[in-house]
Each structure stands twice: as C-alpha cells, then as structure tokens.
Amino acid sequence: MAYFLPRVTLILGGAASGKSRFAERMVDRTGLPKTYIATAQAFDDEMAGKIRKHISDRGDGWVTIEEPLNAPEAIGQLEDGAATLLDCATLWLSNAMLAEQALGDRSTALLDAVNRATGPLVIVSNEVGQGIVPDTKLGRDFRAAQGRLNQDLAAAADLVVLVVAGLPLVLKGALPEGSA
C-alpha cells in the first residue's frame, strides 16, 4: 500500500536504534522512485561492512548518490517525483567538521536546501544529547553543532519521529497510516 509522506520528515534516534531501517521503510512505502543520499565514508573495514549491510538491507530499486560533504548540493539537484532519503545528517556534519569546513555555513546551506526541497525528503540524524558529556573539546563542539542542526532540521520538518528500539515516537506531525 503506497502512502503519502510530508515534504520533510526528520527521523532521530541513537546509534543502532533502527532509525535508518524505519526511514527506508517510509520511503519505500510511498511507491515513488527512491533516491538515497549516502554520507558515510568507508575509512576502515568496520565502516565498509556497515555500508555493505545498509545497501543489502535496503535492497534494489534505489538510486544512490554518495555525497559525504555535498549533501546540500545533492538535495538542490533532486528531480521532482522521487522520494529521497538523506542518511545521515550526523555523518555529513562530522565529515564537514573533519574537513575543517565552516560548520555554520554548511549547516545553513543544508537547511536552505531542505527548505527548498519539494519532497518528500526524509532525513536521518543521530540524537547525540542524551549520552555522556564528551571528554574532548572536539567532541563537545561536535555535540553542540549536531544539537543545533537537529533543532533547525526539526523546525523545518513537517514530521519528526524519534526511533528507539525500532519503535517510532512522533514528536511533531502525524505518521502516515500503516507506517508503524
């Protein structure tokens, strides 16, 4: 059964919470052509394995755009009529930070692209504020930047869902019928 997604949906959750799987199901159930903007980079064997698992889990029928740094530009070039999944804003932000890009400028670019997107656009992001306080300045700076980005994405989104143990908790808007 195909269903309607709002223009922008934000899916939040902790690591291994089921947020990507939930987001993929939402996009898949629209019945629209599916685009996946991937931000992960395989810097080691563990991450390469995670990427392979994500590809296998989501199955066929996705057009994949690999953009570890240029997600805003990728969103700006999306064709109308497709449902798009950006997975994930957290890896994108950490990539930008490690590339020593101006996080404020890059976050603004992402938000501008999200606000111009015709949708449906589903964005996955990690909730990083519920864990321990990082012991390094870099970690604390990242946590603060991710928290700000999540707040701004949530403000721009029509639907915001927190996924815990694979279960959705709606924070803003309403889930489409049949999505839980």
Side-chain angles (χ1 to χ4, degrees):
M1 169 175 76
Y3 64 79
F4 173 80
L5 280 178
R7 189 181 65 81
V8 178
T9 300
L10 176 63
I11 307 294
L12 296 166
S17 64
K19 62 191 174 298
S20 291
R21 180 174 293 144
F22 184 80
E24 290 165 3
R25 270 196 331 260
M26 290 184 85
V27 170
D28 194 44
R29 290 178 180 171
T30 65
L32 297 171
K34 302 172 292 197
T35 301
Y36 188 99
I37 301 174
T39 62
Q41 298 180 84
F43 289 122
D44 58 30
D45 290 342
E46 179 185 0
M47 187 54 114
K50 285 182 178 184
I51 291 170
R52 282 192 302 274
K53 181 167 178 13
H54 266 263
I55 291 169
S56 174
D57 286 351
R58 81 177 162 260
D60 296 330
W62 292 80
V63 172
T64 301
I65 301 169
E66 295 183 13
E67 282 296 353
L69 291 170
N70 296 318
E73 294 77 6
I75 291 170
Q77 296 175 6
L78 293 173
E79 294 184 27
D80 289 339
T84 301
L85 173 57
L86 170 63
D87 195 359
C88 82
T90 308
L91 285 175
W92 170 80
L93 188 68
S94 66
N95 293 338
M97 182 177 241
L98 294 173
E100 298 182 356
Q101 294 182 342
L103 295 188
D105 293 343
R106 294 307 291 154
S107 293
T108 297
L110 181 65
L111 291 163
D112 288 347
V114 167
N115 285 324
R116 286 191 310 272
T118 58
L121 172 62
V122 178
I123 303 165
V124 172
S125 192
N126 285 39
E127 171 50 58
V128 297
Q130 295 181 335
I132 62 170
V133 175
D135 63 351
T136 66
K137 179 170 177 7
L138 179 66
R140 290 186 300 274
D141 288 348
F142 174 76
R143 182 186 64 168
Q146 185 65 57
R148 281 189 302 275
L149 180 60
N150 284 348
Q151 290 176 50
D152 291 340
L153 288 170
D158 305 293
L159 172 61
V160 180
V161 180
L162 176 66
V163 177
V164 179
L167 301 173
L169 174 64
V170 176
L171 303 177
K172 178 181 178 183
L175 286 175
E177 283 188 37
S179 60

